[in-house]
Amino acid sequence: MKRLILALAMAAVFLLSSVTVVSAATEEEIVESIEYGLEWLANNQDDDGNWPAYWEDTATTGLAVLKFCDYANEQGLNPLDPAYEYSTNVTAGLNHLFTKLLDEDISLQDHTGGATGTVDNPDTNGNGEGIYAHGHGYPFDVYDTGIVLSAISACGNPDRVIVSQNLVVNGMTHKDVAQDMVDWLAFAQADANKIGTQCGEGGWSYGALDNTGQGTHSFGPDNSNSGYAVLGLAYAQDAGLTVPDWVKTELNAYIMCIQDPNDGGSWYDHVGDGIGENILKTGNLIFEMAFVGDTPETQRVQDALSYLENHWADASGANSPPGWNGNPAQYQTMFTTMKGLEFMGIDTFGDPEIDWYEDFSDAIVEQQIKIAGPTNGSWQTSSGRGNPTIITTWALLTLEKVSPPPQVISVFVDIKPSSCPNPINTKSKGVLPVAVLGTEDFDVTTIDPASIRIKLNPDDVGVAPIRWNYEDVATPFEGELCDCHDLNGDGLMDLTLKFDTQEVVRLTLTDEMGNTLPLTITGNLMEEFSGTEIEGQDCVRVLEDKKQNKNGK
């Protein structure tokens, strides 16, 4: 009997040990996974600074450098400071990337028949040149340039002078090179639709499309290349570089033609193409929408989220099936989706609620190789494309949610609604009325009123409102700042706020007697609507103290 009991006990132990228990990755497991992954990635950098190529090395190296620079930034370290453990990897990687840069004359782009209706200039600094990245072999110039621009921008050190055997960039600063890369991407953007598709204007193909919508081998814009081009532009914008406004206007036209009008997903180069929709390209689509100023409440963003929800449980492949999951998972899809949702400021979506980061991190941590040997800490395979280097980099970027920070939402503000101009009496003991205006695309009830502050200077702590309400009081003014109109409501709800006038005056308005100057309203959306920052401006005229003037004081 004792032997039987022992045998049954041993069998039970064997059965339990054979069952794989899948549980949510803990914070400690995620941190450990990142540390092991970075160590593997650092150890697999070649002596000349590049990382083993997937098709060609420029983009692979750019993504690895982006990851290492972000890791330094998270710790409050300069990526090039020797005190940072991976500074030599960053320096060597950047130096390699600088050898891959070429220059090209850039010219005016004719959109008179397109979205902007004007002839637009991509040359923001007036030097007549753009800089682009080019690997060996097949030209993935847009793909490479977007990624390398992301890396240079994220690595900071804008005034660092480049010392390189590449005479194109030798002696230039990081900032100057990055601005010329922005200008090249603006130049490279498609200026017309690809023949036969009625789609393409505002997107990007593999190479520059100079006043055309079709390039080498008849390739037109697609939403894989476009996603990486916009990634670079977003990082550059976050670094303080100039992205021409018209680029976003053109991109908006591309978003409208590449999104399926029925299910909200993104196609490859036009609706109904032979490649199809998937979550990978829809992640790019959401990122692009955020870049042009959409919010989580924008209807086309909601449509894209519905596509994600409807296909979240689908299997994955290079292009199809359209999902992300599997064993192995589709790592590029997780990366593009992460950057889109993170840039848009979306933590969860769907009903029932989908916590996208929890799902991604569980799969990534579980599939990491944790066996002693040369692959320990890496991710070797994906259900999509990629080699171990780029798959590991996509995994690490996703685990740490590496993306430009969510953009500040610009809002319309009207100080003293229905008044034009807006006088403020520095002696007033009353309140200063201000309205944040609702539009067809912006619901003011998503704002956290308690977060609102009015400021004279960006570094001011600002003044909080003493009360608020919701009513329709004004119509947005789209002219020059400090011009105005006196129109009342437009049928859309506004957030009205009252500020203590004397508290506002203490923002040093007494130093501006007789002047007209802008005041800035800042705040955030409520947490359930992503918590994204908002900002808007309107102007006041500070009335002179007549009594003081009369006395000559």
Side-chain angles (χ1 to χ4, degrees):
M1 185 66 178
K2 288 182 179 178
R3 290 181 180 177
L4 178 59
I5 293 172
L6 178 60
L8 290 172
M10 291 178 67
V13 169
F14 175 78
L15 287 171
L16 287 172
S17 65
S18 301
V19 175
T20 300
V21 179
V22 178
S23 58
T26 66
E27 184 63 31
E28 291 77 13
E29 288 172 330
I30 291 172
V31 170
E32 183 180 73
S33 180
I34 291 167
E35 290 173 348
Y36 283 137
L38 287 170
E39 183 179 352
W40 182 88
L41 197 60
N43 290 335
N44 279 268
Q45 186 176 23
D46 291 340
D47 292 340
D48 66 353
N50 79 311
W51 271 269
Y54 169 62
W55 285 26
E56 51 83 20
D57 61 354
T58 305
T60 307
T61 300
L63 285 171
V65 171
L66 172 62
K67 175 62 232 154
F68 282 115
C69 285
D70 175 78
Y71 191 65
N73 294 334
E74 285 192 351
Q75 299 174 66
L77 298 174
N78 183 330
L80 298 177
D81 188 334
Y84 173 47
E85 61 181 314
Y86 295 116
S87 62
T88 56
N89 300 95
V90 172
T91 301
L94 284 173
N95 289 341
H96 176 79
L97 292 175
F98 291 141
T99 69
K100 298 292 186 178
L101 301 183
L102 303 174
D103 58 358
E104 180 175 11
D105 293 339
I106 58 177
S107 57
L108 298 177
Q109 303 296 289
D110 188 356
H111 304 130
T112 51
T116 69
T118 56
V119 175
D120 298 307
N121 188 1
D123 188 16
T124 62
N125 56 16
N127 66 0
E129 292 187 345
I131 290 178
Y132 65 99
H134 180 76
H136 62 267
Y138 195 87
F140 291 99
D141 296 346
V142 166
Y143 173 64
D144 290 340
T145 302
I147 290 172
V148 175
L149 176 58
S150 300
I152 294 173
S153 300
C155 289
N157 296 277
D159 298 320
R160 177 177 180 259
V161 177
I162 298 166
V163 178
S164 175
Q165 293 181 340
N166 181 4
L167 298 181
V168 170
V169 297
N170 184 54
M172 295 180 70
T173 64
H174 287 203
K175 177 175 62 178
D176 291 340
V177 168
Q179 187 61 66
D180 276 346
M181 295 178 79
V182 170
D183 293 355
W184 186 85
L185 285 172
F187 165 76
Q189 189 177 25
D191 308 292
N193 291 330
K194 181 183 176 183
I195 297 172
T197 67
Q198 300 305 308
C199 187
E201 178 188 355
W204 283 265
S205 184
Y206 290 97
L209 299 179
D210 181 12
N211 282 298
T212 184
Q214 194 162 293
T216 307
H217 306 301
S218 299
F219 287 146
D222 66 71
N223 211 26
S224 179
N225 276 300
S226 297
Y228 283 100
V230 179
L231 179 67
L233 293 174
Y235 267 107
Q237 179 176 269
D238 184 57
L241 300 174
T242 301
V243 177
D245 288 339
W246 60 263
V247 170
K248 296 183 180 182
T249 302
E250 290 288 305
L251 175 59
N252 190 60
Y254 182 68
I255 291 169
M256 289 190 291
C257 79
I258 204 70
Q259 185 177 27
D260 190 278
N262 297 313
D263 65 21
S266 172
W267 290 79
Y268 179 69
D269 67 4
H270 68 278
V271 173
D273 62 41
I275 295 179
E277 301 169 89
N278 58 24
I279 288 179
L280 187 158
K281 295 186 289 286
T282 305
N284 284 339
L285 181 73
I286 293 171
F287 190 94
E288 293 155 2
M289 290 172 172
F291 185 65
V292 301
D294 287 4
T295 72
E297 291 71 47
T298 304
Q299 186 57 54
R300 65 186 184 184
V301 176
Q302 289 293 312
D303 294 341
L305 292 174
S306 293
Y307 178 86
L308 295 188
E309 180 181 5
N310 291 334
H311 294 276
W312 199 250
D314 288 4
S316 60
N319 288 308
S320 63
W324 64 271
N325 209 345
N327 193 8
Q330 223 285 25
Y331 281 83
Q332 183 178 194
T333 296
M334 287 192 283
F335 169 66
T336 64
T337 307
M338 173 280 296
K339 69 182 177 67
L341 295 172
E342 187 71 6
F343 194 41
M344 185 65 78
I346 296 172
D347 294 325
T348 60
F349 62 91
D351 184 16
E353 190 173 79
I354 294 171
D355 185 327
W356 62 266
Y357 180 72
E358 181 176 293
D359 289 350
F360 284 176
S361 59
D362 289 351
I364 293 171
V365 170
E366 183 183 354
Q367 293 178 17
Q368 185 180 29
I369 294 176
K370 304 179 182 73
I371 301 173
T375 62
N376 185 42
S378 70
W379 291 263
Q380 292 283 304
T381 58
S382 170
S383 65
R385 300 181 176 91
N387 68 352
T389 307
I390 203 166
I391 293 169
T392 295
T393 305
W394 282 327
L396 292 170
L397 290 167
T398 303
L399 270 186
E400 286 203 272
K401 298 193 280 190
V402 179
S403 175
Q407 297 195 106
V408 176
I409 298 173
S410 294
V411 295
F412 289 102
V413 171
D414 193 352
I415 297 176
K416 304 188 78 167
S418 76
S419 173
C420 177
N422 306 320
I424 183 169
N425 183 351
T426 59
K427 299 296 184 181
S428 171
K429 305 297 184 183
V431 295
L432 178 69
V434 178
V436 179
L437 309 187
T439 68
E440 292 287 353
D441 294 321
F442 183 67
D443 180 0
V444 295
T445 63
T446 63
I447 298 172
D448 177 6
S451 72
I452 296 290
R453 297 293 184 272
I454 190 168
K455 304 177 180 181
L456 176 59
N457 300 304
D459 294 333
D460 290 342
V461 174
V463 175
I466 56 177
R467 59 181 181 272
W468 53 81
N469 201 354
Y470 297 97
E471 52 187 319
D472 178 22
V473 296
T475 297
F477 176 71
E478 301 191 49
E480 294 294 323
L481 182 65
C482 294
D483 286 345
C484 57
H485 61 209
D486 56 3
L487 298 180
N488 295 314
D490 58 359
L492 298 171
M493 190 66 69
D494 306 318
L495 171 61
T496 60
L497 308 117
K498 299 293 191 295
F499 295 87
D500 185 303
T501 301
Q502 285 305 301
E503 289 293 320
V504 177
V505 168
R506 290 190 188 97
L507 296 172
T508 69
L509 293 192
T510 51
D511 297 336
E512 302 289 346
M513 294 292 195
N515 294 330
T516 297
L517 66 157
L519 296 179
T520 301
I521 291 289
T522 64
N524 298 86
L525 301 185
M526 296 178 187
E527 282 303 317
E528 56 264 41
F529 297 104
S530 78
T532 305
E533 293 181 42
I534 64 167
E535 184 176 290
Q537 289 185 308
D538 195 14
C539 297
V540 295
R541 177 165 180 79
V542 185
L543 299 178
E544 295 184 275
D545 188 334
K546 295 181 179 179
K547 181 177 180 181
Q548 190 177 53
N549 288 342
K550 183 176 180 181
N551 294 333
K553 297 179 181 178

